[in-house]
Amino acid sequence: MRTWTLRSRIAALCVTIGVILTALGVFAAITAAAHNRQLDDVLNRASPMRAAGESLSTAMVDQETGIRGYAITGRDANLDPYRKGIADQQAQVNRIESLLHPEDKKIRAALDEVKGRIDAWHQQVSEPVVAAVQAQGVQEAQARIEAASTTQFDELRAAIDRMQDDIQALRTETATAAKDSSQTMVAIEIAAAAVVVLAGIFLMLLLDRLVSRPIVDLADQVRRVAGGDYERHIESRLGSPELVGLAADVDQMRQQIASELSEVRDARQQVEWVNQQLQSQAEELTRSNRDLEQFAYVASHDLQEPLRKVASFCQLLQRRYAGQMDERADQYIAFAVDGAQRMQRLINDLLAFSRIGRLTSGFTDVDLNRVLGEVKSQLEPRAGEDAEITWPPLPIVEGEEPLLTTLFVNLIGNSLKFRRPDVPPEVRITAERDGKEWKFNVRDNGIGIEAEFADKVFVIFQRLHARDAYEGTGIGLAIVKKIVEYHGGRIWLDVGVEVGASIWFTLPALIGADEPGEEQESREMVVA
């Protein structure tokens, strides 16, 4: 039994109870059938036979009374009770015979005796009296009646009484058997109820011993392990084989967890040490970056004064002594003025680049439609009469409006700068929603950017053309990239366009913000 599983034990209990209840049910069915048969014998055989016996006795008394009346009066009307008694006699005899079963031999013998005595009384008494009245008159019939003894009729009635006693005995026996079978049915029901109750008690004890108590004990062990006692061995000695196996599996899991936990602790110590090193390096890197930014700012700011002096005095030399020296001296002075001015522009752009993310006014909701309106105003002198800048309704984003203005100034300014000769510049700004961010595209019809320079264009001070071909310091797209990344976005060059340049960048969308309504009119601004 120790190796029996809980399922097999419960199945065996259910099978045993089922067999017992089935046997009790079969016995109850047999008993119920016998009880019904016995009740049928009492109600539909014995009682009707006894009533028929009483009616038979009454019919014979009516015949005897009719014969005496007929013998005294000789009137045929006095034979009516006799004739009716004969009919009733035959009917009751037939009724008793129809209710008899083959096993009712004693009652059948008593009935045969009654029928024999009835026939004898008819042959020896009633029929001779009727014949005498009809042949010789009432005096002869009365003489026969007086001469005849009542012994025969008394024996007939005694035979009927004996038959009634036999019928009553059958009725009593059948009623007693029906009572016994009824008591047996009650006993079967009590036994079935007792079997069910005992089975329930046994099942409850079985579950308590093999399930409830072992589970409580196992849960207590698991709680101790969960409380930090990872080396505690988990086992189940009292439960079913399933719970014993479960306890073994849980203990194996505990061992695995304890082993991995030890490794995790070691790894955590190593990670903490690495984190400390990384934190130290990050602090050092932050300090270094801060020092570098401060150095760039101070260096650029301190360079402004000598550059302004150099540029001013060079311009004074150019104005005062232009044409007074030879042509080469004028060329040298022009080179000096141009170099000083370019150096000044480089320093200003470097200062602007270093300020991004360092000097901040905080993020606010920025309407890009208003921003592009401001950009249009700033670029109007550079655009020319034939330039065209268009954009549909743009969303509201979160950011620093001055930086976003600088972003669009640089992108659109580049599109205007790198225009194709004799082709009016066209710049198209669009936006589309992509999940939690907005994707913006600035597309123009200018000279475009080769795919091999897709990454180089966003590097600081990287130029794709000679200085005498296009003005600028090569820092504009680097500033754009830094502004986009400062706002949590990304920027890239679309190398799949055939004409012009196409630059994409993303900005986070406002939580709960809707897309610009399609019913709004597209704004198209033509720069005069």
Side-chain angles (χ1 to χ4, degrees):
M1 285 295 289
R2 179 64 181 174
T3 59
W4 279 36
T5 64
L6 179 63
R7 178 181 293 179
S8 61
R9 298 185 189 196
I10 293 178
L13 175 62
C14 293
V15 170
T16 303
I17 298 303
V19 170
I20 295 175
L21 292 179
T22 301
L24 289 176
V26 171
F27 186 40
I30 296 173
T31 304
H35 180 69
N36 292 336
R37 186 175 61 254
Q38 291 156 359
L39 288 179
D40 182 71
D41 287 344
V42 172
L43 298 176
N44 298 326
R45 288 203 319 120
S47 295
M49 279 195 295
R50 184 168 177 79
E54 294 290 340
S55 298
L56 177 61
S57 177
T58 302
M60 294 310 300
V61 171
D62 290 342
Q63 290 183 48
E64 197 268 343
T65 301
I67 285 296
R68 287 185 178 276
Y70 182 68
I72 294 173
T73 61
R75 290 185 299 180
D76 188 69
N78 290 110
L79 279 179
D80 289 341
Y82 175 73
R83 295 190 185 98
K84 184 176 181 300
I86 292 177
D88 290 343
Q89 163 213 319
Q90 192 60 41
Q92 301 306 322
V93 169
N94 293 337
R95 185 180 181 189
I96 293 173
E97 288 180 340
S98 65
L99 295 174
L100 289 175
H101 286 174
E103 64 270 16
D104 300 327
K105 296 180 180 180
K106 188 173 183 180
I107 298 176
R108 186 176 296 278
L111 179 62
D112 291 340
E113 181 184 359
V114 169
K115 290 194 298 182
R117 292 190 178 276
I118 290 174
D119 292 341
W121 184 76
H122 282 163
Q123 293 174 2
Q124 297 176 13
V125 177
S126 64
E127 291 177 357
V129 170
V130 171
V133 171
Q134 292 175 351
Q136 301 175 4
V138 295
Q139 292 181 352
E140 182 63 23
Q142 291 177 0
R144 285 181 175 275
I145 289 294
E146 292 174 356
S149 174
T150 61
T151 303
Q152 279 186 312
F153 194 79
D154 293 339
E155 290 178 353
L156 170 60
R157 295 184 65 179
I160 293 174
D161 290 339
R162 286 194 298 274
M163 182 184 70
Q164 289 289 80
D165 292 341
D166 292 338
I167 294 173
Q168 180 62 31
L170 172 64
R171 184 177 183 277
T172 303
E173 179 184 356
T174 307
T176 302
K179 182 178 180 180
D180 293 340
S181 62
S182 177
Q183 294 176 348
T184 303
M185 288 288 294
V186 173
I188 291 173
E189 292 176 357
I190 294 174
V195 169
V196 172
V197 171
L198 291 176
I201 295 174
F202 182 76
L203 180 61
M204 183 178 65
L205 295 175
L206 180 67
L207 293 177
D208 179 69
R209 183 177 183 276
L210 298 181
V211 178
S212 299
R213 284 187 291 172
I215 285 180
V216 171
D217 179 65
L218 181 60
D220 180 66
Q221 297 181 61
V222 171
R223 279 192 295 270
R224 294 184 182 181
V225 172
D229 188 7
Y230 299 110
E231 301 302 324
R232 179 182 180 83
H233 181 63
I234 297 176
E235 62 180 350
S236 177
R237 297 180 297 273
L238 301 176
S240 63
E242 292 94 339
L243 285 177
V244 173
L246 176 61
D249 293 338
V250 171
D251 188 66
Q252 184 177 2
M253 181 177 65
R254 176 199 61 79
Q255 295 175 7
Q256 183 68 23
I257 292 175
S259 175
E260 294 181 357
L261 183 60
S262 177
E263 296 177 0
V264 168
R265 287 173 176 171
D266 296 339
R268 185 174 63 183
Q269 293 177 355
Q270 296 179 1
V271 170
E272 289 177 352
W273 180 83
V274 171
N275 285 338
Q276 291 176 358
Q277 299 299 317
L278 290 176
Q279 186 176 0
S280 300
Q281 294 178 5
E283 292 175 354
E284 180 65 22
L285 183 60
T286 300
R287 184 190 61 78
S288 176
N289 288 337
R290 186 170 57 249
D291 292 345
L292 287 175
E293 289 180 358
Q294 185 67 23
F295 170 77
Y297 176 77
V298 171
S300 300
H301 187 272
D302 292 343
L303 287 175
Q304 293 286 341
E305 181 60 27
L307 274 176
R308 281 195 295 268
K309 288 183 179 181
V310 171
S312 297
F313 283 108
C314 288
Q315 290 171 357
L316 286 173
L317 285 173
Q318 189 178 37
R319 287 197 299 268
R320 179 171 296 183
Y321 297 103
Q324 298 182 18
M325 294 181 288
D326 59 10
E327 182 179 352
R328 180 163 296 186
D330 291 338
Q331 187 180 13
Y332 289 162
I333 294 174
F335 286 158
V337 170
D338 180 65
Q341 290 176 345
R342 284 193 296 106
M343 178 62 76
Q344 201 166 23
R345 288 196 297 271
L346 283 172
I347 292 175
N348 289 331
D349 289 344
L350 183 60
L351 281 173
F353 185 81
S354 66
R355 289 190 183 103
I356 298 174
R358 188 169 60 88
L359 300 177
T360 177
S361 59
F363 280 17
T364 58
D365 293 349
V366 180
D367 185 357
L368 295 183
N369 298 290
R370 185 178 66 250
V371 168
L372 285 176
E374 176 65 24
V375 171
K376 174 259 179 183
S377 299
Q378 295 185 26
L379 296 177
E380 190 173 2
R382 297 169 49 188
E385 297 181 354
D386 56 352
E388 183 177 338
I389 305 173
T390 60
W391 67 87
L394 297 179
I396 296 176
V397 298
E398 188 176 28
E400 293 192 25
E401 185 169 341
L403 293 180
L404 294 177
T405 302
T406 302
L407 181 149
F408 281 104
V409 165
N410 280 279
L411 289 177
I412 299 175
N414 276 356
S415 296
L416 296 174
K417 180 195 304 183
F418 298 103
R419 59 193 295 179
R420 286 186 294 166
D422 301 326
V423 176
E426 296 179 1
V427 184
R428 175 74 173 174
I429 302 98
T430 59
E432 62 184 47
R433 184 70 175 264
D434 184 14
K436 296 182 179 180
E437 62 183 9
W438 285 101
K439 290 175 60 177
F440 297 90
N441 177 248
V442 179
R443 174 77 181 274
D444 61 51
N445 63 341
I447 63 174
I449 303 174
E450 297 295 333
E452 59 184 300
F453 303 116
D455 295 327
K456 187 178 180 181
V457 294
F458 297 107
V459 179
I460 190 171
F461 296 135
Q462 292 293 324
R463 297 178 58 90
L464 304 183
H465 306 279
R467 284 193 296 270
D468 55 354
Y470 296 96
E471 63 178 4
T473 60
I475 200 174
L477 290 181
I479 291 176
V480 168
K481 182 174 184 294
K482 191 170 183 180
I483 292 173
V484 169
E485 292 177 348
Y486 173 67
H487 284 80
R490 50 197 171 86
I491 188 169
W492 67 95
L493 178 68
D494 185 358
V495 297
V497 297
E498 297 179 358
V499 178
S502 177
I503 294 180
W504 288 89
F505 66 93
T506 64
L507 293 176
L510 285 174
I511 299 176
D514 298 329
E515 297 187 17
E518 295 182 358
E519 71 280 358
Q520 299 180 18
E521 297 182 357
S522 289
R523 302 182 184 181
E524 182 173 295
M525 303 187 66
V526 179
V527 180

